[in-house]
Amino acid sequence: MTPDAPGRAGNRALYHGAGAPHRTAGGRSRATRTAALLTAALLLVGGATAGCGGRATTHHKPGTSHEQATGSTGTLLDAQDPTGHRLREVPAEGAPEVRLAARPDSEDGWNLQLTVKNFRFTPDSTGGAALPGAGHAHLELDGRKLARLYGPWFHLPAAQVPEGAHTLTVRLYADDHTAWAVAGKAVEGTLQLTATAAAPGQGGHSHTPPPSPPAPPSVQASPPEAPADRTVTLTVRDGKVTPAPGRTELRRGERVALHVTSDRADTLHVHGYDKELALPAGQEATLVLTADRTGLFEVETHESHLVLTQLLVR
């Protein structure tokens, strides 16, 4: 029995010696699995915090895709265009281009045509991020902004152009309102336009309309204005518009009433219709107009440069 004791002890030692590494390996395996699960949980939490693909460059605007909210292109420069918008420079090859032409309208003013290359108008994503070759345009008369354009055609009423020689400028912008630029210069097109006094209906500009005939001794009261088909009520306070700027859809010929209350004195302007309304501080002012032109027209304030709404007339 004595000779066997060392063997049994050796066997026990061998058994425990063989088992010890197994338990250690199992511990390492469990630790590895735990660490992997913890890492995955942290990644999931981090992904939820950062959102799709990390922090977006801008907020999602209703109706825009994720790409439209996070995409960007070109190099944002410190330089600005004449109206204070920062330049977004892109290589000359494939860069947006624009040319401007004007044709006298048979009834009033001029019809302007924008011919663009490597560019598309994207009114539905205005306010989103800068995507290659997309955005809108600004129209200026002698350096003064007249309208924001969302398509290749625009009617310029004669009443907006004083008699004399003028320079029309059209400039291309990305959806985030930066100006597309090449070699440090904004992408734009210019046109010389001369407004002359002409008879009504000749597409020119008349500063002295014929005098109205004298009123008869007895004049009937004018019938009351037709009620508005749509009513839009807006409030401007501390530089913010309530409700948030959106679109008011109208059928051609409908009448819309704009009720606006501003906490500071300002002027309301409806682009494309050349309608203006004084906004006294703290008082509601109302502008009623007939939507007799189709297109997308901005309603904004002159002093605070706020877009209040957009009139989409179909």
Side-chain angles (χ1 to χ4, degrees), residues 25-96:
R28 287 196 299 269
S29 178
R30 286 193 296 275
T32 301
R33 288 197 298 273
T34 301
L37 290 173
L38 181 59
T39 301
L42 290 174
L43 288 174
L44 287 174
V45 173
T49 302
C52 301
R55 184 176 180 182
T57 57
T58 184
H59 65 280
H60 272 276
K61 182 183 171 104
T64 62
S65 67
H66 176 77
E67 180 191 21
Q68 289 170 329
T70 59
S72 63
T73 188
T75 302
L76 192 59
L77 306 181
D78 291 332
Q80 300 178 346
D81 72 357
T83 59
H85 294 77
R86 292 181 67 181
L87 302 184
R88 184 175 294 278
E89 185 165 293
V90 292
E93 184 176 357

Side-chain angles (χ1 to χ4, degrees), residues 96-134:
E97 300 178 20
V98 61
R99 290 186 292 111
L100 180 63
R103 304 175 184 177
D105 186 87
S106 60
E107 295 183 1
D108 170 71
W110 299 265
N111 293 314
L112 307 183
Q113 182 182 18
L114 281 66
T115 302
V116 296
K117 182 179 180 182
N118 302 323
F119 184 82
R120 67 188 188 280
F121 292 96
T122 52
D124 291 336
S125 59
T126 300
L131 296 181

